[in-house]
Amino acid sequence: MASEEEEERGEEEPLSPVSRLLSSPELCAVIVVTIGLKTRCNISSVVAGIKESLIKLPRFSCKLDMDSKNKKKAEPVWVPVRIQVESHVIVPDLDHVNIENPEEFIEDYCSSIVNTPMDMSIPPWEFHVLNLKTSNAESVGIVKLHHSLGDGMSLMSLLLACSRKTSDPNALPTITATTKKHQKCKDKGWRFIGRGLWYIIRFIFINFVEVFKFVLTLCFLRDTKNALSSEPMDGIQPRKIIHRIIDFDDVKLVKNIMQMKVNDVLLGMTQAGLSRYLSKRCADEDYTMTQKEKILDRIHLRGTVAVNLRPYTKIQDMDNVMTKGAKCTWGNFVGLVIFPLWIRSEDDPLEYLRQAKATMDRKKLSLEAFNFYAVIKFTMKLFGEKVVQAISKRLFDHTTLTYSNVMGPDEEISIFDHPISYLAASALTGSQILNIHFVSYVNKLTISLAVDATVIPDPHRLCDDLVESFNIIKSTALEKYKIS
């Protein structure tokens, strides 16, 4: 496959600081997107669709040159190549007779391609087509991409730019843009000045505390040992990927009842699910209820949460970027915040949501995500990639999980003339034990888990606990606020 693609003369493009970090072989940073389709997949339509849309984005017709001889600084660059789309569309020969559980087969297939090193001598993306019927789809497309190509927001925008509305095949789909509600301040005079001063004091104090915590994490502060812990090891351990679909309308219902954002609900659900899972792991070791509560209270567990740093991007902007030379905020423009998880045995399930919202509100007041991006950018410029890789390795080794949430389209779409049933995605970076990713599509929300199977041998149990915890949160919210 590599021999069929040759370099063509063209302008090389340097990588952004975060993309350079993600291009490190030590991180093995890849993104796997699962697309459930409502019809059997037509391979010819997929190939033709990719030729007409995807490869028009220059990044997808370039290979990553890690040892560029054309650059004085020998920095990695994107090098244009002549690409043969057919070689990137992979159709495995399936033995349908012996596939007893299609869902399990899809999970194993995703896990297999994630754990297979990506060929970096060609443009780093693949489109796998599995004409295998599952409970949620008639066929499945699995896209594997190197994370240096772009972040979740970029790739979701690209997916939508390649898609069309099912109700109107000539129209681009849309995502409801999140807008901030500006409340008119009624304070005047000294009260207005006092409120402004208090905001400035809080802003300075919170940012000082968050920077101090970040430095401590890089130096020595790590999560306490628990059932999700492992000893730091060289290299990335094999990953197991699973996903589960729940009703997104239920999530929005809880969001409206609790008067918070979807992300707050999902973080609260994550805290509740992990608390439930760790409690059961304690039960497996014959601890009493009091002992379990004490163990959970002593657990200090943190996750890195990916934050999109760009303003909301319209789909039309992404459609324009399909031509070379177009300017758009494409790539990896994300920062990270270190999010402390509330691991407790709570009598009130809604407390997990309140704690998630309180922590996230505090994080929004800080510049932690922008600070992380700035640290990566300037450290890369001053000290080079090795120092940045060392910083990121310590950050991932000292925390337990990665969390992200990407909002998809709120109307049904089709890609390459194939109506989509659901979307799922997993982004794997670093050595963390657990990656939790949420992707919404119309009225469905997909929970994707990517786990280190040597530490979490029962990922389906963890996923069950996440779903069951959310159901308890939902029923409690409905009962407490008397909503039928």
Side-chain angles (χ1 to χ4, degrees):
M1 178 162 56
S3 62
E4 295 177 352
E5 301 189 19
E6 301 176 350
E7 288 189 26
E8 64 178 16
R9 296 293 180 183
E11 184 179 354
E12 296 179 351
E13 181 185 353
L15 277 69
S16 68
V18 176
S19 293
R20 285 180 64 185
L21 170 62
L22 293 171
S23 67
S24 168
E26 288 78 11
L27 284 182
C28 299
V30 296
I31 297 176
V32 176
V33 181
T34 303
I35 307 173
L37 303 173
K38 292 186 176 181
T39 60
R40 186 175 175 82
C41 190
N42 185 308
I43 312 301
S44 300
S45 296
V46 171
V47 172
I50 292 175
K51 288 180 178 180
E52 293 172 2
S53 58
L54 190 65
I55 62 170
K56 290 184 178 180
L57 181 68
R59 190 70 56 83
F60 280 78
S61 56
C62 293
K63 72 175 185 179
L64 185 59
D65 189 351
M66 299 297 294
D67 301 306
S68 175
K69 298 178 181 179
N70 301 325
K71 292 290 180 180
K72 294 181 179 179
K73 296 182 180 179
E75 296 176 352
V77 293
W78 292 107
V79 179
V81 297
R82 296 186 184 94
I83 183 171
Q84 288 190 336
V85 173
E86 291 81 359
S87 63
H88 288 262
V89 178
I90 301 170
V91 185
D93 186 14
L94 303 180
D95 184 6
H96 293 270
V97 177
N98 294 322
I99 298 177
E100 298 180 357
N101 189 331
E103 279 76 14
E104 183 179 350
F105 181 87
I106 296 295
E107 292 175 357
D108 292 340
Y109 189 88
C110 285
S111 303
S112 175
I113 65 174
V114 161
N115 295 318
T116 302
M118 181 160 267
D119 185 357
M120 301 303 290
S121 65
I122 59 175
W125 61 271
E126 304 166 355
F127 196 114
H128 298 251
V129 176
L130 284 74
N131 274 313
L132 179 65
K133 183 177 180 179
T134 68
S135 59
N136 295 299
E138 291 294 321
S139 62
V140 176
I142 303 174
V143 187
K144 179 183 178 183
L145 316 101
H146 198 275
H147 210 323
S148 58
L149 284 169
D151 54 30
M153 186 63 184
S154 292
L155 297 176
M156 177 59 74
S157 298
L158 178 62
L159 170 68
L160 297 180
C162 295
S163 306
R164 293 297 181 266
K165 294 181 181 180
T166 303
S167 58
D168 184 358
N170 296 319
L172 284 166
T174 57
I175 294 181
T176 303
T178 56
T179 56
K180 295 182 179 180
K181 297 181 179 179
H182 297 281
Q183 295 181 351
K184 190 174 180 180
C185 183
K186 298 180 180 179
D187 295 333
K188 296 181 180 180
W190 289 108
R191 179 173 292 184
F192 176 79
I193 296 174
R195 184 181 290 271
L197 287 174
W198 174 239
Y199 177 85
I200 293 172
I201 292 171
R202 286 181 62 217
F203 177 82
I204 295 173
F205 177 75
I206 289 175
N207 276 279
F208 174 80
V209 170
E210 297 302 334
V211 169
F212 184 65
K213 288 180 179 178
F214 182 80
V215 172
L216 289 181
T217 300
L218 293 182
C219 294
F220 60 85
L221 185 63
R222 63 168 62 240
D223 292 353
T224 54
K225 287 189 176 182
N226 57 80
L228 300 179
S229 301
S230 69
E231 294 298 327
M233 301 178 66
D234 293 332
I236 306 298
Q237 299 303 306
R239 305 297 180 94
K240 172 71 174 177
I241 293 181
I242 68 169
H243 66 256
R244 186 77 55 83
I245 299 174
I246 64 174
D247 193 339
F248 190 39
D249 289 335
D250 288 342
V251 176
K252 290 188 283 189
L253 174 63
V254 174
K255 171 202 116 177
N256 293 332
I257 293 174
M258 299 299 296
Q259 297 183 347
M260 54 181 59
K261 296 184 179 295
V262 168
N263 195 53
D264 298 328
V265 176
L266 298 181
L267 278 169
M269 165 186 168
T270 301
Q271 295 183 142
L274 289 173
S275 298
R276 189 179 187 86
Y277 176 77
L278 290 171
S279 178
K280 288 182 178 180
R281 290 283 291 262
C282 291
D284 293 341
E285 299 180 14
D286 296 327
Y287 287 112
T288 64
M289 182 61 69
T290 303
Q291 289 175 325
K292 284 195 297 183
E293 290 180 355
K294 289 182 178 180
I295 291 173
L296 289 181
D297 289 344
R298 288 198 298 265
I299 291 178
H300 297 281
L301 192 150
R302 296 168 301 163
T304 53
V305 179
V307 178
N308 174 38
L309 300 182
R310 61 175 66 79
Y312 175 76
T313 304
K314 294 181 179 179
I315 302 306
Q316 285 76 8
D317 294 336
M318 288 306 305
D319 201 36
N320 292 333
V321 86
M322 293 297 184
T323 57
K324 290 187 178 182
K327 293 183 179 180
C328 182
T329 314
W330 171 268
N332 288 285
F333 192 45
V334 293
L336 292 179
V337 300
I338 301 175
F339 191 92
L341 293 156
W342 183 259
I343 305 299
R344 296 287 189 278
S345 180
E346 290 288 351
D347 294 329
D348 182 7
L350 301 182
E351 186 62 24
Y352 295 108
L353 302 189
R354 299 188 193 100
Q355 291 293 336
K357 184 180 186 305
T359 304
M360 188 50 71
D361 287 346
R362 194 163 60 251
K363 293 292 181 179
K364 289 174 184 176
L365 193 59
S366 76
L367 297 174
E368 186 175 351
F370 288 94
N371 289 338
F372 174 83
Y373 187 85
V375 167
I376 295 299
K377 183 176 181 178
F378 288 107
T379 305
M380 184 82 71
K381 185 176 181 179
L382 295 175
F383 303 104
E385 296 178 25
K386 295 297 182 183
V387 176
V388 174
Q389 291 172 13
I391 291 175
S392 63
K393 186 177 187 306
R394 289 190 70 84
L395 179 63
F396 291 136
D397 285 348
H398 290 185
T399 54
T400 303
L401 62 92
T402 293
Y403 166 96
S404 72
N405 166 35
V406 178
M407 292 293 102
D410 50 14
E411 56 193 337
E412 293 194 355
I413 63 174
S414 60
I415 182 168
F416 310 141
D417 299 324
H418 295 80
I420 293 178
S421 173
Y422 70 89
L423 294 171
S426 290
L428 294 91
T429 56
S431 56
Q432 288 166 307
I433 303 302
L434 173 63
N435 293 265
I436 303 178
H437 302 277
F438 297 92
V439 179
S440 68
Y441 174 71
V442 195
N443 61 345
K444 296 178 180 178
L445 181 75
T446 307
I447 308 168
S448 297
L449 303 184
V451 307
D452 182 342
T454 62
V455 180
I456 305 178
D458 49 358
H460 291 93
R461 179 180 180 180
L462 173 56
C463 200
D464 290 339
D465 288 333
L466 288 169
V467 175
E468 191 170 347
S469 295
F470 173 72
N471 290 333
I472 294 173
I473 288 172
K474 174 192 166 187
S475 59
T476 303
L478 291 173
E479 181 180 353
K480 186 170 184 178
Y481 293 93
K482 307 298 181 183
I483 297 176
S484 56

